[in-house]
Each structure stands twice: as structure tokens, then as C-alpha cells.
Amino acid sequence: MTEYVHRYEQLANKPVRFLLFIKKTPVPKTKELPDNIKCNFNKEIRIRDTLELLVEIKITETGKRQVRNENMLRLLKGAILNTKHVYVTNLNHGVHISFVTSEQLWVSDGHSLTLTNSKGNILHHLFDVSEYYGVHTVNSEGELIYVDKDWNINKISADNATKSTLIKRTELWEPWCICHSGSTGDLLVMMRYDTRNPTIPLSDVKVIRYSSTVQQIQTIQYHRTGEPLYSEPIYITENGNGDIVVSDTWNGVVVTDHEGKYRFTYTGPPEGLSFGIFMPSGICVDAFLNILICGRLDQTIQLINRDGLLLSILPTKQDGMVEPLGLGYDEKNHVVWMGSGMNNKLCVYRYIERQDYLA
């Protein structure tokens, strides 16, 4: 049955090939039916009748079948250092991480942007990237989207051969961090007024949602009370439930729903569980819709659920990770990668394991 299901998923839109597979696959021997069970089969099944039934089959677009993560995955009681250290050549820091595949990831250090494999070998290099933090993301086609030194948002093709400009910097607004939405294909951009203009308040910050055709379709800026939501945002990501998650240096981790309505702010662990001053930096989300937060000063990874409840704290100092800064979640292997603000060292932690659901 497992083999039939596997083939069906591969050939779901090719019913004839799937039927041929069933026809050619040997049927396992079965026990003789008890005498009290009567089965009547028509020995003369005509091909024409079969074909008439087959042409009535309608294939509709229903999206990919997905098994609920709570059935296939489970959280471990603690985190395991999966890969002790990966060193990326010519990288000074691990400021931000964006995955292309589980074997390829973009890592920035505030000066350049490097495409590396899981072993730390350089595959491609860019030098016109912005010096800020969460300034790059990867779309569903494997294309890199990043903010350059002139505050324009560019796109690099999946083969790294073609560069195009998606959004040009306006006279006053600068993109500070960006995120691609895997569910809608939209681009979330955290915009801020030109900080070199001393007459403009620092609190003038907003999230702009751009469609896949680069049309502005949403702006998120204020709390329901009219107060600014953000102060100094450095990273932005989107959760699987549509929530927009922003790491704000001074405000904490600010979460709004997909409509931009304020949900909650996470300002660190409760008293007695803290490892020091909480200053959020890198963020990412996992398959359970949990939010992972890099504590830059207290040197931790903090795991909260979709509603802001603290689930666990992972100290990283014991693993030689000084000033943890960038985070990236590998959706295939369910591990989290963390970069340092002090060197080119990357650590890989596992805190989720697969369950053999069929077993």
C-alpha cells in the first residue's frame, strides 16, 4: 500500500500511467476466502465499458496533499547540536541566512553576500549588498531578492546569471529588511525614512506588501491605538498562518496578523528564566508555526509558539557561539542554522525529529 500511495502522489495528474503501473505490478498472494463469503465477479469485463468510466474521471486543482505536522514531526525536549561548526570562507559574520535548498544557502555579513553549500564552500559571491541586517530573501523559484548599497531591491536569477531591479529606492524611503511570502508570492518590505535626515523621526517605519507583479497592496504602520508599531526593525519574516513577525531592536518581537492587525509583542523570557538582557536579532519560523528568536546579548535561541508563549530557551554560549545573530530554518531537514556576529562560524541545531507515522 505504501508503494501504491507513493506512485499515486508521483502520477496523480497522469491517471493512465498510474493505471498501467497497477496493471504491471504483481498482486500479492492472498488467503482463500472463507466459504461463508460469496463473491460474484463478471468474467466478461469489456474494455469499452472500462474506458467510458475512465473518461468520466475529472482532475481538479486542490493543491498539494499535506499531512499535519503534528502527526509527522515532534518537538524534542531539548536541542541537539547537529553540526558543530561550518566555516564559510571569506565571510566575516553570519548576519542573515536565506535557504535556496537544504544544501544551498545565502549568508550575508554586512559587507557581502555569499552563496554556500552545507559544507561552507563558496558557490557565488555578491558585493553590492546593503550593510544592514535582514536584507535578502529567496522566492519559491530559488531566485535571490536583496537590497543593494543604493537601497534598491534587486533580483538574481536561480542560475545567478541575470540581475534585475524590482523596486527602486524612493526619495525618502529606504528598505531595511525584506521577506518573501511562500504562501502568496508577495514581498514584505520593512521601509524606513532616510535616517540621514535628522528632521525625520525614527519611529516613521512601515511594512509594505508588494504583489508578485510588484504592486503595492498593503501598508502596516500603526497600532490600533494609533501608536507606531515599530521603532528599529532589523528582520522580518512571515509565519505559515499569515502572521507578520518583525524583530525590533528596542520593542521586542512584534507580531501582526495577515491583515496588519496587532497580535502581540514578545519582550523576552519571564523573570527567573532570563540569561541576561534580551535584544532580539535574527528570527525564523518552523513547521509548527513556532517562532525562533536569536537573543544577541543573552546568547540564546528562544522558541515561542504562534501566540507568544515561551516554549524553550537554548543557550548557545556553551557551543562556542559568541554573539548569535542570524537564523535560518531548513524546511526539509527541520534544523535551524545560526550565524555569529563575531566570526564566520555557523552552527546547526536540531530540535525537531520525524516520526515514522506509518509504523
Side-chain angles (χ1 to χ4, degrees):
M1 285 301 298
T2 303
E3 179 65 14
Y4 277 123
V5 170
H6 177 67
R7 288 303 182 97
Y8 174 75
E9 289 177 340
Q10 288 182 324
L11 305 173
N13 60 344
K14 300 174 182 178
V16 175
R17 287 182 60 185
F18 178 64
L19 291 170
L20 287 174
F21 163 74
I22 295 177
K23 182 179 179 181
K24 293 178 181 178
T25 304
V27 179
K29 294 182 179 180
T30 57
K31 297 180 180 179
E32 292 293 330
L33 292 173
D35 293 335
N36 61 343
I37 297 178
K38 302 295 183 181
C39 298
N40 296 319
F41 296 99
N42 184 355
K43 297 181 180 180
E44 297 181 357
I45 298 176
R46 296 188 302 168
I47 294 178
R48 180 180 296 277
D49 295 335
T50 305
L51 290 175
E52 287 178 354
L53 291 173
L54 287 176
V55 295
E56 294 180 4
I57 296 176
K58 295 180 181 180
I59 300 174
T60 58
E61 290 291 336
T62 58
K64 294 182 179 179
R65 293 196 313 156
Q66 294 182 344
V67 180
R68 293 169 63 90
N69 284 321
E70 45 264 52
N71 290 335
M72 298 299 294
L73 306 170
R74 65 182 174 190
L75 289 172
L76 298 173
K77 292 183 179 179
I80 301 171
L81 187 59
N82 200 58
T83 302
K84 191 170 184 181
H85 298 135
V86 175
Y87 292 95
V88 182
T89 310
N90 297 333
L91 194 72
N92 294 323
H93 318 293
V95 173
H96 186 43
I97 299 170
S98 296
F99 278 91
V100 181
T101 67
S102 60
E103 296 298 322
Q104 292 186 10
L105 55 152
W106 287 96
V107 186
S108 58
D109 63 0
H111 303 285
S112 62
L113 188 52
T114 300
L115 177 63
T116 179
N117 61 17
S118 57
K119 296 180 180 179
N121 300 320
I122 292 179
L123 306 177
H124 198 71
H125 216 73
L126 295 172
F127 294 96
D128 64 333
V129 64
S130 167
E131 297 179 358
Y132 210 53
Y133 294 90
V135 293
H136 55 89
T137 185
V138 173
N139 64 19
S140 54
E141 285 75 40
E143 299 167 317
L144 173 71
I145 301 174
Y146 73 100
V147 182
D148 66 19
K149 293 182 181 295
D150 296 321
W151 304 100
N152 301 311
I153 299 179
N154 302 321
K155 182 172 72 173
I156 300 292
S157 60
D159 59 2
N160 302 312
T162 307
K163 172 183 172 181
S164 58
T165 300
L166 291 181
I167 304 171
K168 283 197 171 187
R169 175 185 179 269
T170 63
E171 185 177 352
L172 293 177
W173 290 98
E174 295 175 343
W176 273 41
C177 44
I178 60 177
C179 166
H180 175 263
S181 168
S183 59
T184 64
D186 298 337
L187 183 66
L188 298 171
V189 182
M190 178 62 75
M191 291 284 193
R192 186 172 175 179
Y193 265 131
D194 188 347
T195 55
R196 290 161 294 189
N197 188 337
T199 64
I200 298 173
L202 293 179
S203 60
D204 257 337
V205 186
K206 61 184 177 182
V207 174
I208 297 180
R209 180 188 294 272
Y210 292 91
S211 68
S212 57
T213 57
V214 202
Q215 301 297 315
Q216 184 174 327
I217 56 177
Q218 185 185 29
T219 300
I220 304 170
Q221 188 170 8
Y222 298 108
H223 196 282
R224 64 174 70 93
T225 61
E227 295 294 317
L229 280 169
Y230 314 107
S231 174
E232 192 171 347
I234 52 178
Y235 294 94
I236 183 172
T237 189
E238 186 186 54
N239 211 344
N241 60 353
D243 283 354
I244 300 168
V245 185
V246 174
S247 178
D248 192 300
T249 302
W250 306 119
N251 284 353
V253 176
V254 182
V255 179
T256 59
D257 66 14
H258 68 283
E259 295 179 349
K261 296 177 181 178
Y262 174 78
R263 290 201 61 223
F264 66 88
T265 299
Y266 176 76
T267 56
E271 189 176 352
L273 294 178
S274 175
F275 284 75
I277 299 174
F278 176 68
M279 180 182 287
S281 52
I283 52 175
C284 61
V285 295
D286 67 16
F288 289 104
L289 307 184
N290 297 322
I291 303 169
L292 294 99
I293 307 161
C294 216
R296 185 172 183 176
L297 296 184
D298 57 3
Q299 302 188 56
T300 61
I301 296 177
Q302 299 180 28
L303 180 68
I304 65 175
N305 70 6
R306 71 190 75 180
D307 298 315
L309 176 66
L310 179 66
L311 300 178
S312 62
I313 300 176
L314 169 65
T316 62
K317 188 176 181 180
Q318 61 192 17
D319 302 318
M321 179 59 72
V322 181
E323 194 179 334
L325 193 57
L327 281 183
Y329 180 75
D330 179 353
E331 295 181 355
K332 180 181 178 182
N333 297 314
H334 303 289
V335 294
V336 59
W337 286 61
M338 181 175 63
S340 169
M342 299 297 291
N343 52 44
N344 65 339
K345 181 193 303 182
L346 300 178
C347 282
V348 184
Y349 292 93
R350 178 176 297 281
Y351 68 101
I352 293 176
E353 70 175 359
R354 294 182 182 274
Q355 299 185 83
D356 191 346
Y357 184 61
L358 291 178

